[in-house]
Amino acid sequence: MAPRKRPGRTPAPTGRTARPRQAEVARLAGVSQATVSLVLSPKPDGKGPLISEETRRRVLEAARSLGYVPDPAARRLAAARNNLLGVFSFTATFPTDVRHSYYPFLVGVECEAAALGYDLVLFTGSSSGGAGASGPDALGRVRLADGCLFMGRHTPRAELKRLVEDGFPVVHLGRREELEGVAWVGADYVQATREVVGHLAELGHRRIVLVREDDDAPASADRQRGFLEGLEAAGLPAGPAAVFRSADPQRDLTAERLRSWADEEVTAFVAEETDTGAAWRSLLSAVRGAGLGCPADVSLALLGSPPSDLASEPVPTGFDIPRPELGAAAVRLLASLVAGGEGTREPLVGCPFRPGPTTGPPPPARP
């Protein structure tokens, strides 16, 4: 005998394994996700924008046809806040070492959260399978908080987007324009990099090369964009030969390669800062291996701060990333989203230029 259908319930479409989301209801009904939320989760006091009966009917029919069921956890969070903000780091362990590049971000996050009356809940990628974890529940733990701040160059895009589509407040610390709907704060790496290139051009350098990792992270893309714009503004060669991109700089950036560049009258090099510091370490090693002096033979600049284990080295010319200010800005934006605001993105935070002893005028031209 065939099982009896429950009255008044439309079965969910066959062949799907994930729970239908509000974004799907919105697409089927031909309305915005915000309208779907207002229809399916009306404010208890009855206040809010007026929704026409026709629109309400389309939303309810779309929800029934998809078998949409509101997430109970999300409804509880919407009904009562815990005054908890999550901070999720896509690393195996949370970066509490003061020498870790993330630590200054956390200082700004903690201070701003305390000022706004929030406590923090810290999450890492380890308990969800590491930084590359995926699946519908990979980030489900963060719903324990009222909203969550995410840190890391590489993020599980599908899982973050799912949180946003479910109406969970999310802010990414670092530019993430490619993740539609994800709020973010970021540093103005483009303008800061242009300033570094302009400084080298003013010193008289005519051929400059950017050394970077083979990475599509927005922070890397912003630095390369600023570098090329800086070259063009100074009237210097800005073609593909001006960028050295490698998945393994320690292997590919050799002393022989440095000497070859020097023979081609390249007199200045700029490296990007990353979590690994591979580009900067490789550049320093190659320059020394080639027997070149800095800044007598070549000038070097770093787009960011040097790795903490190179503290004994001279602090290079470059720019400083205002990590505490970025952390504080991310908390302000997240708190605005949690409170039901629009979450207007804060302006890009400027990176102050840092003079240093690793740059100087180029050596005299060879005869």
Side-chain angles (χ1 to χ4, degrees), residues 293-299 361-364:
C294 173
D297 298 314
V298 292
S299 287

Side-chain angles (χ1 to χ4, degrees), residues 18-30:
R19 176 174 60 85
R21 301 189 295 273
Q22 283 192 3
E24 297 174 74
V25 177
R27 283 193 292 270
L28 184 59

Side-chain angles (χ1 to χ4, degrees), residues 186-239:
D188 194 350
Y189 294 132
V190 174
Q191 179 57 36
T193 302
R194 284 177 58 116
E195 189 171 356
V196 171
V197 174
H199 172 73
L200 292 169
E202 289 177 0
L203 289 173
H205 295 278
R206 312 319 297 165
R207 289 206 60 192
I208 307 170
V209 167
L210 168 66
V211 177
R212 58 163 294 188
E213 295 182 39
D214 190 15
D215 191 336
D216 291 325
S220 297
D222 280 355
R223 287 177 169 94
Q224 178 169 323
R225 174 187 160 195
F227 175 76
L228 296 175
E229 288 182 1
L231 291 179
E232 292 174 355
L236 303 181

